[in-house]
Every structure is written in C-alpha cells, then in structure tokens.
Amino acid sequence: MPNRAEHLAKAQANEALSLSLQSGPALDWSVTILFYAALHLVEAVLAPQAHSRTHIERDGRVRQHPLLRPIYGQYRELKDASLLARYDCRRFTPADVALLRAYEYDVIKQHLRQPLGLTF
C-alpha cells in the first residue's frame, strides 16, 4: 500500500505529464492523467488509514471524509471527463483541458495544499 509521500510524488508526476500533453494531440490523455493526479491527492489524504482498491470505494470515501467532501463535485467532474475520454472517445480542446485544470483540479489542489503540505 503506497504511503502519503508516494501518493504525492505520483500526483506531482501526473500533474506535470498532464500539463506537457495539454497542447498536443493527446488531449484525452491529458484529461485522464489530470484525473489520476487528483486521485493520488485524494489517496494521500486517506493514507495510511485507508487505501481504496476501487473507484467505487474511493468515491464513497471522498463523499464521506470531512476534508474531501467539499471537493467531491470537482473530483467527480474530473472522473467523468476521464471516463468520456477513455470510453466515449470524447474529443477535448486545449480550452476544455485548461478549464478542467482551472475549475476542477486546481480547486482540489488548493483545498488540499495546506493539509497535505503541498509544495508543487
């Protein structure tokens, strides 16, 4: 089971990779990887007390955890966009990805910045 530091390192790497793909031809992957950056921020909050083995399990924890509940909407938006990218072949524009980053991911990251001691 990954510890908090490992989840944070993965979140940071995913965020950087998503940003590098944001202006290229792989915008669907930029969206998907941005969701996984958020997922690892969530798991960093839960570690070491809990580790979600499924998305359904994690969704429930985000809805119920006092620190995560306020960002559940943003988390779900990123998850839904990721599902659209992966399974419905939804095409995203650079503007779409920038909006997901600004209004979903950045809100999650800012909300968790102090509790997780984020430096990235």
Side-chain angles (χ1 to χ4, degrees):
M1 169 177 351
N3 63 35
R4 179 172 283 183
E6 290 168 320
H7 282 298
L8 291 177
K10 192 66 161 177
Q12 185 175 13
N14 285 346
E15 179 184 319
L17 181 56
S18 174
L19 188 57
S20 74
L21 296 172
Q22 188 173 332
S23 60
L27 295 172
D28 57 334
W29 282 109
S30 180
V31 169
T32 298
I33 294 165
L34 191 62
F35 163 65
Y36 281 103
L39 179 149
H40 282 285
L41 290 176
V42 164
E43 286 294 321
V45 170
L46 298 172
Q49 292 81 12
H51 176 71
S52 308
R53 299 234 176 252
T54 68
H55 288 290
I56 293 169
E57 190 177 311
R58 187 176 303 102
D59 286 352
R61 287 189 169 126
V62 174
R63 273 194 314 269
Q64 294 175 1
H65 193 283
L67 180 59
L68 299 174
R69 188 179 312 121
I71 50 102
Y72 177 73
Q74 289 82 11
Y75 179 81
R76 269 312 297 227
E77 285 294 322
L78 284 174
K79 180 181 177 186
D80 290 347
S82 173
L83 290 169
L84 289 171
R86 289 180 286 152
Y87 300 113
D88 291 346
C89 301
R90 162 93 187 273
R91 292 183 180 258
F92 290 88
T93 66
D96 294 332
V97 180
L99 287 172
L100 284 168
R101 180 177 300 282
Y103 291 105
E104 313 306 341
Y105 180 75
D106 287 348
V107 170
I108 292 169
K109 186 176 171 184
Q110 186 58 37
H111 180 74
L112 298 176
R113 180 172 299 285
Q114 184 178 9
L116 290 175
L118 298 179
T119 58
F120 61 94

